[in-house]
């Protein structure tokens, strides 16, 4: 079964450093998403991306965050200057049609620890 | 953000019996409701969804019921199996450009052999 692949599985970074989280969505999917889950809290929407531009973003997704599809296969989330509160599990997801009724396919996540 | 709530943090059920997971929401504009299952160290896995214009959707052992007047949905798993033990999230979405999912806090289901 096709998978969404995320790398690395765990990243530790110092506060103030830039991090790039990488995702390889399912090959025929056109809609891409980032979500995060802070330990003990809900899964939260960050951003949706279609046709090389952001479709929607949450209040969490401020100027410190950016997304990019640098080539035909990767989808990245960059945090420019990490803060302690950015520590969370970050999930990438993709969808063929973008229709929520069909569900999105999530990756296994990257655990980001900011120290 | 309390738009989607799962009031039971955990549920324990005997193998073979029915598991009923509940979810409440506040935004009557949601167009779709979804259930995801999550195992440790994995991402959420889509289980089943229901459109806001329906009141029931069934897929194998999984059935989702939607009560719009009560702003309540439930996931029924029957019969429950030990492999169903996981955290279950309900989520809701508007059918718009971003189609963002708003998640509940999750219910941990334990199915005992």
């Amino acid at each position: 079964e096709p998978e969404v692949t995320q790398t690395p599985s765990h990243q530790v970074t110092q506060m103030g450093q830039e991090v790039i989280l990488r995702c390889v969505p399912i090959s025929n999917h056109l809609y891409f998403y980032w979500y995060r889950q802070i330990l003990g809290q809900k899964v939260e929407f960050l951003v949706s991306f279609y046709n090389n531009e952001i479709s929607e973003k949450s209040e969490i997704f401020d100027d410190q965050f950016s997304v990019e599809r640098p080539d035909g296969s990767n989808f990245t989330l960059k945090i420019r200057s990490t803060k302690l509160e950015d520590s969370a599990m970050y999930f990438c997801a993709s969808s063929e049609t973008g229709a929520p009724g069909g569900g999105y396919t999530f990756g296994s996540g990257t655990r980001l620890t900011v120290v | 953000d309390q738009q989607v709530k799962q009031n039971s943090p955990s549920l324990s059920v005997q193998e073979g019996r029915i598991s009923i997971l509940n979810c409440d929401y506040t935004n009557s504009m949601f167009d779709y409701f979804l259930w995801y299952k999550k195992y440790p160290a994995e991402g959420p896995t889509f289980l089943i969804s229901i459109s806001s214009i329906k009141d029931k959707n069934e897929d194998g052992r999984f059935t989702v019921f939607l009560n719009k007047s009560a702003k309540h949905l439930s996931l029924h798993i029957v019969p429950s199996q030990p492999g169903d033990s996981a955290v279950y999230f309900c989520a809701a979405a508007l059918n718009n450009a971003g189609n963002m999912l708003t998640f509940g806090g999750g219910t941990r289901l334990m199915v005992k052999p």
Side-chain angles (χ1 to χ4, degrees):
Chain A
E1 188 167 331
E3 290 184 343
V4 174
T5 305
Q6 290 188 245
T7 55
S9 56
H10 191 186
Q11 171 126 22
V12 181
T13 188
Q14 290 213 325
M15 190 169 53
Q17 294 296 303
E18 174 184 285
V19 294
I20 298 176
L21 308 182
R22 302 182 190 280
C23 170
V24 179
I26 293 173
S27 60
N28 65 333
H29 284 191
L30 302 176
Y31 297 80
F32 314 113
Y33 311 88
W34 283 100
Y35 286 78
R36 78 173 186 189
Q37 186 178 28
I38 295 171
L39 189 63
Q41 298 187 22
K42 292 184 177 184
V43 176
E44 301 173 292
F45 169 78
L46 292 177
V47 66
S48 58
F49 189 87
Y50 169 72
N51 199 25
N52 281 321
E53 60 183 32
I54 290 173
S55 308
E56 188 172 7
K57 60 183 181 179
S58 70
E59 291 178 355
I60 303 168
F61 195 88
D62 61 20
D63 292 345
Q64 294 300 311
F65 291 86
S66 62
V67 289
E68 193 178 28
R69 187 152 163 84
D71 53 42
S73 59
N74 291 283
F75 179 52
T76 61
L77 174 69
K78 182 193 291 186
I79 309 175
R80 283 191 192 82
S81 178
T82 51
K83 298 178 279 213
L84 293 176
E85 54 264 38
D86 294 327
S87 295
M89 195 75 166
Y90 287 80
F91 295 106
C92 172
S94 70
S95 165
E96 185 177 0
T97 64
Y104 306 146
T105 304
F106 282 81
S108 295
T110 293
R111 180 170 299 285
L112 177 65
T113 303
V114 182
V115 297
Chain B
D1 177 8
Q2 295 292 314
Q3 290 194 78
V4 180
K5 286 188 70 173
Q6 294 175 255
N7 290 316
S8 299
S10 65
L11 174 68
S12 183
V13 170
Q14 204 68 34
E15 181 180 7
R17 306 296 290 268
I18 186 170
S19 296
I20 300 176
L21 298 127
N22 294 302
C23 180
D24 297 295
Y25 62 95
T26 57
N27 186 350
S28 59
M29 301 301 291
F30 284 133
D31 296 299
Y32 288 95
F33 302 90
L34 303 90
W35 285 94
Y36 281 83
K37 176 172 72 174
K38 187 180 180 304
Y39 295 117
E42 294 185 13
T45 300
F46 171 68
L47 281 175
I48 190 169
S49 66
I50 187 167
S51 163
S52 62
I53 62 173
K54 298 193 172 182
D55 55 20
K56 177 182 175 182
N57 189 25
E58 189 172 353
D59 184 2
R61 296 187 298 116
F62 303 93
T63 303
V64 56
F65 295 92
L66 176 62
N67 182 334
K68 287 183 67 177
S69 60
K71 295 192 179 68
H72 177 85
L73 65 153
S74 60
L75 175 69
H76 293 210
I77 307 173
V78 56
S80 301
Q81 299 171 354
D84 295 330
S85 297
V87 177
Y88 288 77
F89 293 96
C90 71
L94 299 169
N95 195 17
N96 60 13
N99 291 321
M100 61 173 272
L101 299 177
T102 301
F103 282 86
T107 297
R108 182 176 302 278
L109 173 65
M110 292 163 283
V111 181
K112 298 178 181 177

